[in-house]
Amino acid sequence: MASATHLLTDELDIVIPTIRNLDFLEMWRPFLQPYHLIIVQDGDPSKTIKVPDGFDYELYNRNDINRILGPRSSCISFKDSACRCFGYMVSKKKYIFTIDDDCFVAQDPAGKPVNALEQHIKNLLSPSTPFFFNTLYDPYRDGADFVRGYPFSLREGVPTAVSHGLWLNIPDYDAPTQLVKPLERNTRFVDAVLTIPKGTLFPMCGMNLGFDRDLIGPAMYFGLMGDGQPIGRYDDMWAGWCIKTGLPYIYHSKASNPFVNLRKEYKGIFWQEEIIPFFQAAVLPKDCTTVQACYVELSKQVKEKLGKVDPYFDKLAEAMVTWIEAWDELNPTGPGAKLANGKAN
């Protein structure tokens, strides 16, 4: 495998939710080994998760989450990959890359391994252009630029908050689509980076995702999902809808059970017809000048508007506030407040 470029090794944490041994990291070793890993163990905390030798990591299980957050641990989902957002909270780095343990290194059309993390970092370090679409896609990429007619006043772009990767092989389908297309696989490698326009929502997927934690970290809450909740598999999309007011690819190796997924998703399939118009219409007051203030205000609107859809949204709105309280407790502001990552005991 070709040698990898390792950017931002001191400024980026890799967050992995898991219930199993992390053998998949062997494939990723050339790309990920120089970085610090935050592993969030879901399920049975008495189970031992094995991590390949040579990786620098801290591992948190449910007992650790309960010990660190106390009563506020109720905002962290159990038996659902939404637990990964605890890793976002305890990280002290500027950037986060999160990946699932069934995601393997993809190959481009020439058969070269794709360094997904390197592409995420390049995306995050390049501006985005959400106010005006460029027909050559990413104008900051080598060999491209802004086309004729693109306003010069907008060519500096704005800071990039999220880099959303894609998947070869198993598409990220909902359960009904899985059931009617069980053999469908994505084999198209599109070598392009696009900015999602301002005001356009999208279904964010957390299995191959990079983001600027300093910029939007408190808003990257993956909601209440899994054990004890009436809904699952909407955790990453909820976060994506909250933060949204390309390349790179990984190889998604394992198709989840569509019947299990349907049981988790069926209420969400109905509710999303109410949720999406809610986010399309949501407006935050101008006096909300921090991510935390915006998120707390959004929680009030969730309770007021979506609470009419189902009592679950009242509970979710309360969890959104608890999440912000927990975030602020672990991430105090002010001189000298930014601490190094801790270690789970």
Side-chain angles (χ1 to χ4, degrees), residues 255-334:
S256 51
N257 188 311
F259 296 100
V260 174
N261 291 346
L262 184 60
R263 186 170 66 248
K264 294 177 180 179
E265 294 174 1
Y266 79 96
K267 286 192 175 182
I269 291 171
F270 292 101
W271 289 347
Q272 70 185 20
E273 304 306 318
E274 302 280 352
I275 295 171
I276 292 172
F278 163 77
F279 280 108
Q280 289 173 327
V283 176
L284 299 175
K286 292 183 178 180
D287 60 354
C288 291
T289 57
T290 66
V291 177
Q292 286 92 327
C294 290
Y295 203 71
V296 170
E297 171 60 29
L298 186 61
S299 74
K300 296 175 183 177
Q301 296 184 27
V302 168
K303 189 177 186 70
E304 178 187 354
K305 302 290 178 61
L306 294 180
K308 300 173 184 177
V309 176
D310 191 272
Y312 163 76
F313 291 100
D314 291 329
K315 187 177 180 181
L316 177 56
E318 293 172 2
M320 293 169 70
V321 176
T322 302
W323 161 264
I324 293 297
E325 293 172 348
W327 182 282
D328 286 345
E329 181 180 358
L330 267 61
N331 297 276
T333 57

Coordinates of all heavy atoms in Angstrom, one line a residue, residues 255-334:
A255 N -24.1 -5.4 5.0 CA -25.5 -4.9 5.0 C -26.2 -5.3 6.3 O -26.2 -6.5 6.7 CB -26.2 -5.6 3.8
S256 N -26.8 -4.4 6.9 CA -27.5 -4.7 8.1 C -28.9 -5.3 7.8 O -29.3 -5.3 6.6 CB -27.8 -3.4 8.9 OG -28.3 -2.4 8.1
N257 N -29.5 -6.0 8.8 CA -30.7 -6.7 8.5 C -31.9 -5.8 8.3 O -32.2 -5.0 9.1 CB -31.0 -7.6 9.8 CG -32.2 -8.5 9.6 OD1 -33.2 -8.1 9.1 ND2 -32.0 -9.8 10.0
P258 N -32.5 -5.8 7.1 CA -33.6 -4.9 6.8 C -34.8 -5.0 7.7 O -35.5 -4.1 7.9 CB -33.9 -5.2 5.3 CG -33.4 -6.6 5.1 CD -32.2 -6.8 6.0
F259 N -35.1 -6.2 8.2 CA -36.2 -6.4 9.0 C -36.0 -5.8 10.4 O -36.9 -5.2 11.0 CB -36.6 -7.9 9.2 CG -37.0 -8.5 7.9 CD1 -36.1 -9.3 7.1 CD2 -38.2 -8.4 7.4 CE1 -36.4 -9.9 5.9 CE2 -38.6 -8.9 6.2 CZ -37.7 -9.7 5.4
V260 N -34.8 -5.9 10.9 CA -34.4 -5.3 12.2 C -34.4 -3.8 12.0 O -35.0 -3.0 12.8 CB -33.0 -5.7 12.6 CG1 -32.6 -4.9 13.8 CG2 -33.0 -7.2 13.0
N261 N -33.9 -3.3 10.8 CA -33.9 -1.9 10.5 C -35.3 -1.3 10.4 O -35.6 -0.2 10.9 CB -33.2 -1.6 9.2 CG -31.7 -1.9 9.3 OD1 -31.2 -2.0 10.4 ND2 -31.0 -2.0 8.2
L262 N -36.2 -2.1 9.8 CA -37.6 -1.6 9.7 C -38.3 -1.4 11.0 O -39.0 -0.4 11.3 CB -38.4 -2.6 8.9 CG -39.9 -2.2 8.5 CD1 -39.9 -0.9 7.7 CD2 -40.6 -3.3 7.7
R263 N -38.0 -2.3 12.0 CA -38.5 -2.2 13.3 C -38.0 -0.9 14.0 O -38.7 -0.2 14.7 CB -38.2 -3.4 14.2 CG -38.8 -3.4 15.5 CD -38.7 -4.7 16.3 NE -37.3 -5.0 16.6 CZ -36.6 -6.0 16.0 NH1 -37.1 -6.8 15.1 NH2 -35.3 -6.2 16.4
K264 N -36.7 -0.6 13.7 CA -36.1 0.6 14.3 C -36.6 1.9 13.6 O -36.8 2.9 14.2 CB -34.6 0.6 14.2 CG -33.9 -0.5 15.0 CD -32.4 -0.5 14.7 CE -31.7 -1.6 15.5 NZ -30.3 -1.6 15.2
E265 N -36.9 1.8 12.3 CA -37.1 3.0 11.5 C -38.6 3.4 11.3 O -38.9 4.5 10.9 CB -36.5 2.8 10.1 CG -35.0 2.7 10.0 CD -34.6 2.4 8.6 OE1 -35.4 2.3 7.7 OE2 -33.4 2.2 8.4
Y266 N -39.5 2.4 11.6 CA -40.9 2.6 11.0 C -41.5 3.9 11.5 O -42.2 4.6 10.7 CB -41.7 1.4 11.3 CG -42.3 1.3 12.6 CD1 -43.6 1.7 12.9 CD2 -41.6 0.7 13.7 CE1 -44.2 1.6 14.2 CE2 -42.2 0.6 14.9 CZ -43.4 1.0 15.2 OH -44.0 0.9 16.4
K267 N -41.3 4.3 12.8 CA -41.9 5.5 13.2 C -41.2 6.7 12.6 O -41.9 7.7 12.2 CB -41.8 5.6 14.7 CG -42.8 4.7 15.4 CD -43.0 5.0 16.9 CE -44.0 4.2 17.6 NZ -44.2 4.5 19.0
G268 N -39.9 6.6 12.4 CA -39.2 7.7 11.8 C -39.6 7.9 10.3 O -39.6 9.1 9.9
I269 N -39.9 6.8 9.6 CA -40.4 7.0 8.2 C -41.6 7.9 8.2 O -41.8 8.7 7.3 CB -40.6 5.6 7.6 CG1 -39.3 4.9 7.4 CG2 -41.3 5.7 6.3 CD1 -39.4 3.4 7.0
F270 N -42.5 7.7 9.1 CA -43.7 8.6 9.2 C -43.3 10.0 9.7 O -43.7 11.0 9.2 CB -44.8 8.0 10.1 CG -45.4 6.7 9.5 CD1 -45.0 5.5 10.0 CD2 -46.3 6.8 8.5 CE1 -45.6 4.3 9.4 CE2 -46.9 5.7 8.0 CZ -46.5 4.4 8.4
W271 N -42.5 10.0 10.8 CA -42.2 11.3 11.5 C -41.4 12.2 10.6 O -41.5 13.4 10.7 CB -41.5 11.0 12.8 CG -42.3 10.4 13.9 CD1 -43.7 10.3 13.9 CD2 -41.9 9.8 15.1 NE1 -44.1 9.7 15.1 CE2 -43.0 9.4 15.8 CE3 -40.6 9.6 15.6 CZ2 -42.9 8.7 17.1 CZ3 -40.5 9.0 16.9 CH2 -41.6 8.6 17.6
Q272 N -40.6 11.6 9.7 CA -39.7 12.5 8.9 C -40.5 13.4 8.0 O -40.0 14.5 7.6 CB -38.7 11.7 8.1 CG -39.2 10.9 7.0 CD -38.2 10.1 6.3 OE1 -37.1 9.8 6.9 NE2 -38.4 9.7 5.1
E273 N -41.7 13.1 7.7 CA -42.6 13.9 6.9 C -43.0 15.2 7.7 O -43.4 16.2 7.1 CB -43.8 13.2 6.4 CG -43.5 11.9 5.6 CD -42.5 12.2 4.5 OE1 -42.7 13.2 3.7 OE2 -41.6 11.4 4.2
E274 N -42.9 15.1 9.0 CA -43.1 16.3 9.9 C -41.8 16.9 10.3 O -41.7 18.2 10.4 CB -43.9 15.8 11.2 CG -45.2 15.1 10.9 CD -46.3 16.1 10.7 OE1 -46.1 17.3 10.8 OE2 -47.4 15.6 10.3
I275 N -40.8 16.1 10.5 CA -39.5 16.7 10.9 C -38.8 17.6 9.9 O -38.4 18.7 10.2 CB -38.5 15.5 11.3 CG1 -39.1 14.7 12.5 CG2 -37.1 16.0 11.6 CD1 -38.3 13.4 12.7
I276 N -38.8 17.1 8.6 CA -38.1 17.9 7.6 C -38.8 19.2 7.4 O -38.1 20.3 7.3 CB -38.1 17.0 6.3 CG1 -37.1 15.8 6.6 CG2 -37.5 17.9 5.1 CD1 -37.1 14.8 5.4
P277 N -40.1 19.3 7.2 CA -40.7 20.7 7.1 C -40.4 21.6 8.4 O -40.3 22.8 8.2 CB -42.2 20.4 7.0 CG -42.3 19.1 6.4 CD -41.1 18.3 7.0
F278 N -40.3 20.9 9.5 CA -40.0 21.7 10.7 C -38.6 22.4 10.6 O -38.4 23.6 10.8 CB -40.0 20.8 12.0 CG -39.3 21.4 13.2 CD1 -39.9 22.3 13.9 CD2 -38.0 20.9 13.5 CE1 -39.2 22.9 15.0 CE2 -37.3 21.5 14.6 CZ -37.9 22.4 15.3
F279 N -37.6 21.6 10.2 CA -36.3 22.2 10.0 C -36.2 23.1 8.9 O -35.5 24.1 8.9 CB -35.3 21.0 9.8 CG -34.8 20.4 11.1 CD1 -35.3 19.1 11.4 CD2 -34.1 21.0 12.0 CE1 -34.9 18.5 12.6 CE2 -33.7 20.4 13.2 CZ -34.1 19.1 13.5
Q280 N -37.0 22.9 7.8 CA -37.0 23.9 6.7 C -37.5 25.2 7.1 O -37.1 26.2 6.6 CB -37.8 23.3 5.6 CG -37.2 22.1 4.8 CD -38.1 21.5 3.8 OE1 -39.3 21.4 4.0 NE2 -37.5 20.9 2.7
A281 N -38.4 25.2 8.1 CA -39.1 26.5 8.5 C -38.4 27.1 9.8 O -38.7 28.2 10.2 CB -40.6 26.2 8.8
A282 N -37.5 26.3 10.5 CA -37.0 26.8 11.7 C -36.1 28.1 11.5 O -35.3 28.2 10.6 CB -36.1 25.7 12.4
V283 N -36.3 29.0 12.4 CA -35.6 30.3 12.4 C -35.1 30.5 13.8 O -35.8 30.4 14.7 CB -36.5 31.5 11.9 CG1 -35.7 32.8 12.0 CG2 -37.0 31.2 10.5
L284 N -33.8 30.9 13.9 CA -33.2 31.1 15.2 C -33.0 32.6 15.3 O -32.6 33.4 14.4 CB -31.8 30.5 15.3 CG -31.8 28.9 15.2 CD1 -30.4 28.4 15.2 CD2 -32.6 28.3 16.3
P285 N -33.3 33.2 16.5 CA -33.2 34.6 16.8 C -31.8 35.1 16.7 O -30.8 34.3 16.9 CB -33.8 34.8 18.2 CG -33.7 33.5 18.8 CD -33.8 32.4 17.7
K286 N -31.6 36.3 16.3 CA -30.2 36.9 16.1 C -29.4 37.0 17.4 O -28.2 37.1 17.4 CB -30.3 38.3 15.4 CG -30.8 38.2 14.0 CD -30.8 39.6 13.3 CE -31.3 39.5 11.9 NZ -31.3 40.8 11.2
D287 N -30.1 37.0 18.6 CA -29.4 37.1 19.8 C -28.8 35.8 20.2 O -28.1 35.7 21.3 CB -30.3 37.7 20.9 CG -31.5 36.8 21.2 OD1 -31.8 35.9 20.5 OD2 -32.2 37.2 22.2
C288 N -29.0 34.7 19.5 CA -28.4 33.4 19.7 C -27.0 33.5 19.0 O -27.0 33.2 17.8 CB -29.2 32.3 19.2 SG -30.7 32.0 20.2
T289 N -26.0 33.7 19.7 CA -24.7 34.0 19.1 C -23.6 32.9 19.3 O -22.5 33.0 18.9 CB -24.1 35.3 19.6 OG1 -24.0 35.3 21.0 CG2 -25.0 36.5 19.1
T290 N -24.0 31.8 20.0 CA -23.1 30.7 20.2 C -23.8 29.4 19.7 O -25.1 29.4 19.6 CB -22.7 30.5 21.7 OG1 -23.9 30.2 22.4 CG2 -22.1 31.8 22.2
V291 N -23.1 28.4 19.4 CA -23.7 27.1 19.0 C -24.6 26.6 20.1 O -25.7 26.1 19.9 CB -22.6 26.1 18.7 CG1 -23.2 24.7 18.4 CG2 -21.7 26.6 17.6
Q292 N -24.1 26.8 21.4 CA -24.9 26.3 22.5 C -26.3 27.0 22.6 O -27.3 26.4 22.8 CB -24.2 26.4 23.8 CG -23.1 25.4 24.0 CD -21.7 25.9 23.5 OE1 -21.7 26.7 22.5 NE2 -20.6 25.5 24.2
A293 N -26.2 28.3 22.5 CA -27.5 29.1 22.6 C -28.4 28.7 21.4 O -29.6 28.6 21.6 CB -27.2 30.6 22.5
C294 N -27.9 28.6 20.2 CA -28.7 28.2 19.1 C -29.3 26.8 19.3 O -30.5 26.6 19.0 CB -27.9 28.1 17.8 SG -27.3 29.7 17.2
Y295 N -28.6 25.9 19.9 CA -29.1 24.5 20.1 C -30.1 24.5 21.1 O -31.1 23.8 21.0 CB -27.9 23.6 20.4 CG -28.2 22.2 20.1 CD1 -28.3 21.7 18.8 CD2 -28.4 21.2 21.1 CE1 -28.5 20.4 18.5 CE2 -28.7 19.9 20.8 CZ -28.8 19.5 19.5 OH -29.0 18.2 19.1
V296 N -30.0 25.2 22.2 CA -31.0 25.3 23.3 C -32.3 25.9 22.7 O -33.4 25.5 23.0 CB -30.5 26.1 24.5 CG1 -31.6 26.3 25.5 CG2 -29.4 25.3 25.2
E297 N -32.1 27.0 21.9 CA -33.3 27.6 21.3 C -34.0 26.6 20.4 O -35.2 26.5 20.3 CB -32.9 28.8 20.5 CG -34.0 29.4 19.6 CD -35.2 29.9 20.4 OE1 -35.1 30.2 21.6 OE2 -36.3 29.8 19.8
L298 N -33.2 25.8 19.6 CA -33.8 24.8 18.7 C -34.5 23.8 19.5 O -35.6 23.3 19.1 CB -32.7 24.2 17.9 CG -33.2 23.2 16.8 CD1 -34.1 23.9 15.8 CD2 -31.9 22.6 16.1
S299 N -34.0 23.4 20.7 CA -34.7 22.4 21.5 C -36.1 22.9 22.0 O -37.0 22.1 22.1 CB -33.8 22.1 22.8 OG -33.9 23.1 23.7
K300 N -36.2 24.2 22.2 CA -37.5 24.8 22.6 C -38.5 24.6 21.4 O -39.7 24.3 21.7 CB -37.3 26.2 23.0 CG -36.5 26.5 24.2 CD -36.3 28.0 24.5 CE -35.3 28.2 25.7 NZ -35.1 29.7 25.8
Q301 N -38.0 24.9 20.2 CA -38.9 24.8 19.1 C -39.2 23.3 18.8 O -40.4 23.0 18.4 CB -38.2 25.4 17.9 CG -38.0 26.9 18.0 CD -37.4 27.5 16.8 OE1 -37.6 27.0 15.7 NE2 -36.7 28.6 16.9
V302 N -38.3 22.4 19.0 CA -38.6 21.0 18.9 C -39.7 20.6 19.9 O -40.7 19.9 19.5 CB -37.4 20.1 19.2 CG1 -37.7 18.6 19.4 CG2 -36.3 20.3 18.1
K303 N -39.6 21.0 21.1 CA -40.7 20.7 22.1 C -42.0 21.3 21.7 O -43.1 20.7 21.8 CB -40.2 21.2 23.5 CG -41.1 20.8 24.6 CD -40.5 21.3 25.9 CE -41.3 20.8 27.1 NZ -41.1 19.3 27.3
E304 N -42.0 22.6 21.2 CA -43.2 23.3 20.9 C -43.9 22.7 19.7 O -45.1 22.5 19.6 CB -42.9 24.7 20.7 CG -44.2 25.6 20.3 CD -43.8 27.0 19.9 OE1 -42.7 27.4 20.1 OE2 -44.7 27.7 19.4
K305 N -43.1 22.4 18.6 CA -43.7 22.0 17.3 C -43.8 20.5 17.2 O -44.8 20.0 16.8 CB -42.9 22.6 16.2 CG -42.7 24.2 16.2 CD -44.1 24.8 15.9 CE -43.9 26.4 16.0 NZ -43.0 26.9 15.1
L306 N -42.7 19.8 17.4 CA -42.7 18.4 17.2 C -43.2 17.6 18.4 O -43.6 16.4 18.2 CB -41.2 17.9 16.9 CG -40.6 18.4 15.6 CD1 -39.2 17.9 15.5 CD2 -41.5 18.1 14.4
G307 N -43.3 18.2 19.6 CA -44.0 17.6 20.7 C -45.4 17.2 20.4 O -46.0 16.3 21.0
K308 N -46.0 17.9 19.5 CA -47.4 17.6 19.1 C -47.5 16.3 18.2 O -48.5 15.7 18.1 CB -48.0 18.8 18.3 CG -48.0 20.1 19.0 CD -48.4 21.3 18.1 CE -48.3 22.6 18.9 NZ -48.7 23.7 18.0
V309 N -46.4 16.0 17.6 CA -46.3 14.8 16.8 C -46.3 13.5 17.7 O -47.0 12.5 17.4 CB -45.1 14.8 15.9 CG1 -45.0 13.5 15.0 CG2 -45.2 16.0 14.9
D310 N -45.4 13.6 18.7 CA -45.3 12.4 19.6 C -44.6 12.9 20.9 O -43.7 13.7 20.8 CB -44.5 11.3 18.9 CG -44.6 10.0 19.7 OD1 -43.7 9.8 20.6 OD2 -45.5 9.2 19.4
P311 N -45.0 12.3 22.0 CA -44.3 12.7 23.3 C -42.8 12.4 23.3 O -42.0 13.0 24.1 CB -45.0 11.8 24.3 CG -46.3 11.5 23.7 CD -46.1 11.4 22.3
Y312 N -42.3 11.5 22.4 CA -40.9 11.3 22.2 C -40.1 12.6 22.0 O -39.0 12.7 22.6 CB -40.6 10.3 21.1 CG -39.2 10.3 20.6 CD1 -38.2 9.6 21.3 CD2 -38.8 10.9 19.4 CE1 -36.9 9.6 20.9 CE2 -37.5 10.9 19.0 CZ -36.5 10.3 19.7 OH -35.2 10.3 19.3
F313 N -40.7 13.5 21.3 CA -39.9 14.7 21.0 C -39.8 15.7 22.2 O -38.9 16.5 22.3 CB -40.6 15.4 19.8 CG -40.4 14.7 18.5 CD1 -41.4 13.9 18.0 CD2 -39.2 14.7 17.8 CE1 -41.2 13.2 16.8 CE2 -39.0 14.0 16.6 CZ -40.0 13.2 16.1
D314 N -40.8 15.6 23.1 CA -40.6 16.3 24.4 C -39.4 15.7 25.1 O -38.5 16.5 25.7 CB -41.8 16.1 25.3 CG -43.1 16.8 24.7 OD1 -42.9 17.8 24.1 OD2 -44.2 16.3 25.0
K315 N -39.2 14.4 25.2 CA -38.1 13.8 25.8 C -36.8 14.1 25.1 O -35.8 14.4 25.7 CB -38.3 12.3 25.8 CG -37.3 11.5 26.6 CD -37.6 10.0 26.6 CE -36.6 9.2 27.4 NZ -36.9 7.7 27.4
L316 N -36.8 14.1 23.7 CA -35.7 14.5 23.0 C -35.3 15.9 23.2 O -34.1 16.2 23.3 CB -36.0 14.3 21.5 CG -34.8 14.6 20.5 CD1 -33.5 13.9 20.8 CD2 -35.3 14.3 19.0
A317 N -36.2 16.8 23.3 CA -35.9 18.3 23.5 C -35.2 18.4 24.9 O -34.3 19.2 25.0 CB -37.2 19.1 23.5
E318 N -35.7 17.7 25.9 CA -35.0 17.8 27.2 C -33.6 17.2 27.1 O -32.7 17.7 27.7 CB -35.8 17.0 28.2 CG -37.2 17.6 28.5 CD -38.1 16.7 29.3 OE1 -37.6 15.6 29.7 OE2 -39.2 17.1 29.6
A319 N -33.4 16.1 26.3 CA -32.1 15.5 26.2 C -31.2 16.5 25.5 O -29.9 16.5 25.7 CB -32.2 14.2 25.4
M320 N -31.7 17.3 24.5 CA -30.8 18.3 23.8 C -30.3 19.3 24.8 O -29.1 19.6 24.7 CB -31.7 18.9 22.7 CG -32.1 18.0 21.6 SD -33.3 18.8 20.5 CE -32.3 20.0 19.6
V321 N -31.1 19.7 25.7 CA -30.6 20.7 26.8 C -29.6 20.0 27.7 O -28.5 20.6 28.0 CB -31.8 21.2 27.6 CG1 -31.3 22.1 28.7 CG2 -32.7 22.0 26.7
T322 N -29.9 18.7 28.1 CA -29.0 18.0 28.9 C -27.6 17.8 28.2 O -26.5 17.9 28.9 CB -29.6 16.6 29.3 OG1 -30.8 16.8 30.0 CG2 -28.6 15.8 30.2
W323 N -27.7 17.5 26.9 CA -26.4 17.4 26.2 C -25.6 18.6 26.2 O -24.4 18.5 26.4 CB -26.8 17.0 24.7 CG -25.7 17.3 23.7 CD1 -25.6 18.4 22.9 CD2 -24.6 16.4 23.4 NE1 -24.5 18.3 22.1 CE2 -23.9 17.1 22.4 CE3 -24.2 15.1 23.8 CZ2 -22.7 16.5 21.8 CZ3 -23.1 14.6 23.2 CH2 -22.3 15.3 22.2
I324 N -26.2 19.8 26.1 CA -25.5 21.0 26.1 C -24.9 21.3 27.5 O -23.7 21.7 27.6 CB -26.4 22.2 25.7 CG1 -26.7 22.1 24.2 CG2 -25.7 23.6 26.0 CD1 -25.5 22.2 23.2
E325 N -25.6 21.0 28.5 CA -25.1 21.1 29.9 C -23.9 20.2 30.1 O -22.9 20.6 30.7 CB -26.2 20.8 30.9 CG -27.4 21.8 30.9 CD -28.6 21.3 31.7 OE1 -28.6 20.1 32.1 OE2 -29.5 22.1 32.0
A326 N -24.0 19.0 29.6 CA -22.9 18.0 29.8 C -21.7 18.5 29.0 O -20.5 18.4 29.4 CB -23.3 16.6 29.4
W327 N -22.0 19.0 27.8 CA -20.9 19.5 26.9 C -20.1 20.6 27.6 O -18.9 20.6 27.7 CB -21.4 20.0 25.6 CG -20.4 20.4 24.6 CD1 -19.7 21.7 24.6 CD2 -19.8 19.7 23.5 NE1 -18.8 21.7 23.6 CE2 -18.8 20.5 22.9 CE3 -20.0 18.5 23.0 CZ2 -18.1 20.1 21.8 CZ3 -19.3 18.0 21.9 CH2 -18.3 18.9 21.3
D328 N -20.9 21.6 28.1 CA -20.3 22.7 28.8 C -19.5 22.3 30.0 O -18.5 22.9 30.4 CB -21.3 23.8 29.1 CG -21.8 24.5 27.9 OD1 -21.1 24.5 26.9 OD2 -22.9 25.2 28.0
E329 N -20.0 21.3 30.7 CA -19.3 20.8 31.9 C -17.9 20.2 31.6 O -16.9 20.4 32.3 CB -20.1 19.8 32.7 CG -19.5 19.3 34.0 CD -20.4 18.3 34.7 OE1 -21.5 18.0 34.2 OE2 -19.9 17.7 35.7
L330 N -17.9 19.4 30.5 CA -16.7 18.8 30.1 C -15.8 19.7 29.2 O -14.6 19.4 29.0 CB -17.0 17.5 29.3 CG -17.0 16.2 30.2 CD1 -18.1 16.3 31.2 CD2 -17.2 15.0 29.3
N331 N -16.3 20.8 28.7 CA -15.6 21.7 27.8 C -15.7 23.1 28.3 O -16.4 24.0 27.6 CB -16.1 21.5 26.4 CG -15.9 20.2 25.8 OD1 -14.8 19.8 25.3 ND2 -16.9 19.3 25.9
P332 N -15.2 23.4 29.5 CA -15.3 24.8 30.0 C -14.6 25.8 29.1 O -13.6 25.4 28.4 CB -14.6 24.7 31.4 CG -13.7 23.6 31.3 CD -14.4 22.6 30.4
T333 N -15.0 27.0 29.0 CA -14.4 28.0 28.2 C -13.6 29.0 29.1 O -13.8 29.0 30.3 CB -15.5 28.8 27.5 OG1 -16.4 29.4 28.4 CG2 -16.3 27.9 26.5
G334 N -12.8 29.7 28.4 CA -11.9 30.7 29.2 C -10.5 30.3 29.1 O -10.1 29.2 28.7

